[in-house]
Amino acid sequence: MSDQQQYTRQQHQQYGGQTHPLTQKLFSTTTTPTTRQAVKFLTASTIGTVLMVLSALTLTGTVISLIVTTPLLVLFSPILVPALITAVLIVTGFVFSGGCGVAAISAMSWIYQYMTGKRPPGADQLDQARSRILNATRDVKDRAQDSMRSGYGGHLSQRSS
């Protein structure tokens, strides 16, 4: 009897004659992997090995380049740091300028669509806000006229003279 079969029997006796489904597949000697499973395993292990080798090479190259360039960076830092700051400011300025340009073009396109009656997204909200503001200004105007008529205006005219 092989060691594998003895181990399987010990496991079988240890669990009171019950085999667990998870370990049943692991310890059974009657099933062999299919060709498809073998190809999957070989492919996965090959890809994993290649990726691990590439990862190790990348790490090695990074460490070597850091070792080589550190003295250069220390020597040229009085030049590189201001140059880097300048480059970052220039790139930031161009990106911000481009963003503002895109925003302006979008706003002008929306206004053009709104004025030509194409009803761009948000036009209904704008119309509602406009009507609310118009109603509020009319209300303030009416209240001011009412207060002027009710004698408050007379009080002001007496004070000014």
Side-chain angles (χ1 to χ4, degrees):
M1 197 180 302
S2 71
D3 291 336
Q4 180 71 26
Q5 290 175 345
Q6 286 178 352
Y7 184 74
T8 305
R9 286 181 194 256
Q10 288 173 356
Q11 290 289 328
H12 189 68
Q13 291 171 357
Q14 181 180 359
Y15 291 113
Q18 298 175 356
T19 56
H20 296 296
L22 180 64
T23 58
Q24 184 176 9
K25 287 185 178 181
L26 292 174
F27 296 117
S28 68
T29 56
T30 57
T31 61
T32 58
T34 63
T35 307
R36 182 180 172 108
Q37 289 173 336
V39 168
K40 279 184 180 179
F41 175 75
L42 290 175
T43 304
S45 61
T46 303
I47 291 172
T49 303
V50 167
L51 290 175
M52 287 297 288
V53 168
L54 288 175
S55 174
L57 288 174
T58 304
L59 179 64
T60 304
T62 303
V63 169
I64 289 172
S65 65
L66 187 62
I67 289 171
V68 169
T69 59
T70 299
L72 293 174
L73 289 174
V74 169
L75 288 174
F76 292 111
S77 65
I79 298 166
L80 294 177
V81 171
L84 180 67
I85 291 171
T86 304
V88 165
L89 288 174
I90 289 171
V91 168
T92 303
F94 280 130
V95 169
F96 182 73
S97 173
C100 287
V102 168
I105 290 171
S106 298
M108 286 189 293
S109 170
W110 190 92
I111 291 170
Y112 175 75
Q113 288 178 359
Y114 183 76
M115 291 300 190
T116 57
K118 294 184 182 174
R119 307 299 293 171
D124 296 333
Q125 294 173 343
L126 181 66
D127 291 339
Q128 289 175 358
R130 181 187 306 155
S131 67
R132 277 191 255 155
I133 291 171
L134 185 61
N135 290 338
T137 54
R138 284 182 187 155
D139 188 40
V140 168
K141 178 185 166 191
D142 292 343
R143 285 186 187 178
Q145 287 176 348
D146 289 344
S147 65
M148 294 294 279
R149 289 183 193 139
S150 67
Y152 181 71
H155 176 67
L156 283 177
S157 63
Q158 290 172 0
R159 256 184 125 195
S160 62
S161 52

